[in-house]
Amino acid sequence: MSTSNDDALKSQALDHLRELLDTHWHDARESADEEGRFAIGFKVAVKDGVPAKLKVTSRISTTITDEIESTVDDPNQPTLL
């Protein structure tokens, strides 16, 4: 059951989420991979009390793929000239 304090916290959290989304949308889009995928994650932390404390964190995630390929000669095999 939701209390008026819960409703106020949720409303404030949604305001913060919207503000962070608006603020970081362009940066997240710029971080998209080759297929156009990007992600913005949000975390809402609440410390109940008087006054209650609310912290909303956003994180932009990208997947970076890097690759190096080489061959390694077997040290037990002689090198042919």
Side-chain angles (χ1 to χ4, degrees):
M1 181 172 205
S2 225
T3 67
S4 61
N5 192 43
D6 288 340
D7 289 340
L9 283 167
K10 291 187 286 185
S11 178
Q12 187 68 31
L14 287 171
D15 288 345
H16 291 330
L17 287 165
R18 189 173 292 108
E19 183 178 343
L20 288 170
L21 186 61
D22 287 343
T23 299
H24 298 292
W25 184 263
H26 178 73
D27 292 330
R29 182 177 282 287
E30 289 294 313
S31 74
D33 66 12
E34 298 82 26
E35 295 177 11
R37 294 179 298 196
F38 63 95
I40 306 173
F42 295 95
K43 177 182 171 184
V44 177
V46 178
K47 183 176 180 191
D48 213 2
V50 179
K53 293 187 179 188
L54 179 65
K55 180 179 180 182
V56 179
T57 307
S58 69
R59 176 167 296 162
I60 298 171
S61 62
T62 59
T63 302
I64 298 171
T65 303
D66 196 2
E67 186 175 280
I68 297 175
E69 187 174 322
S70 66
T71 59
V72 178
D73 293 330
D74 183 346
N76 295 321
Q77 294 292 323
T79 304
L80 299 175
L81 299 175

